[in-house]
Amino acid sequence: MDPLRYVLLLGAALFALAAWIRYQDDFKEWIIELGLQHFWNGIYVLFTVGVLSMILSFVGCIGAINESPGLLRTFMVLNGVMFILTLAGAAYTLDHGIEYSKLSPWLKNRLLQLVDGYEHNTRDRRIMDMIQEFVSFIIPYSIEYHIEANLLNIFQLLGAALFALAAWIRYQDDFKEWIIELGLQHFWNGIYILFTVGVLSMILSFVGCIGAINESPGLLRTFMVLNGVMFILTLAGAAYTLDHGIEYSKLSPWLKNRLLQLVDGYEHNTRDRRIMDMIQEF
């Protein structure tokens, strides 16, 4: 079922990304004012693929549960089609939306039209004024802004990655079963720390964003101090997890004693017998 789960998650991510690009207010305003609506065509393709991929994951689930070769073949073929459509949508978007693509000559001609119409066309004058205001605002602050924005994005991505990793370790079915059966639940303590740090790091990145936007020294100092605390907690959680979960750590003598207990209880304890049988099969 894991591949089906990944198809669902990838479809949801693609849908969310396409929806954000299509409906983000500032970006949407520029597209409309410049008359660049044809850029949306690729986004609509990605949007549709995201929705269909999520629907297809349920078709695949039904096929897997019912062990239906027909449904599973349909699922695989349609996923191949979705993959091709994703490449097509991404190619169209890039070919009409980045520097040195078809956007550059189109934008050059559009700006010349706006300059020509500045004196006698109210709409062209408004768009050019918007562009001049944007350029005059962004140039003095662009370097500082991009450094701050990139640092905050890195914090947010690291927090999301840490959260996802901790959640996967905690809830991955086979690993979870072994932990429970062996009575190794104290291993989760380090994972819970990493899980919490991931969530708090994502929240803190928004605090940092607010501090940067409002140019608030107090919020930015709070952000830096708390991120230092998060870093220390990350090291502590990782150290605890490694100290209780790898070879030559505290896991080794604990596991040796646990196996001896299981061997002793094999004949008269049903649970110990089941665990030992699982280990031998594995």
Side-chain angles (χ1 to χ4, degrees), residues 47-81:
F47 195 93
T48 306
V49 169
V51 174
L52 292 177
S53 295
M54 288 189 284
I55 295 170
L56 275 178
S57 67
F58 291 105
V59 174
C61 282
I62 294 168
I65 291 168
N66 295 323
E67 298 181 358
S68 169
L71 271 179
L72 290 173
R73 277 196 295 270
T74 303
F75 170 74
M76 295 303 296
V77 170
L78 290 178
N79 260 300
V81 174

Side-chain angles (χ1 to χ4, degrees), residues 145-163:
Y145 173 80
H146 281 296
I147 290 172
E148 289 176 351
N150 287 332
L151 283 173
L152 294 171
N153 285 335
I154 289 169
F155 280 123
Q156 191 170 23
L157 289 172
L158 288 174
L162 191 60
F163 171 81

Side-chain angles (χ1 to χ4, degrees), residues 177 181 269-279:
E177 183 181 9
E181 293 295 349
N269 188 305
T270 307
R271 187 169 184 272
D272 289 354
R273 187 182 306 117
R274 179 165 57 83
I275 296 171
M276 283 301 295
D277 290 340
M278 281 174 59
I279 293 171

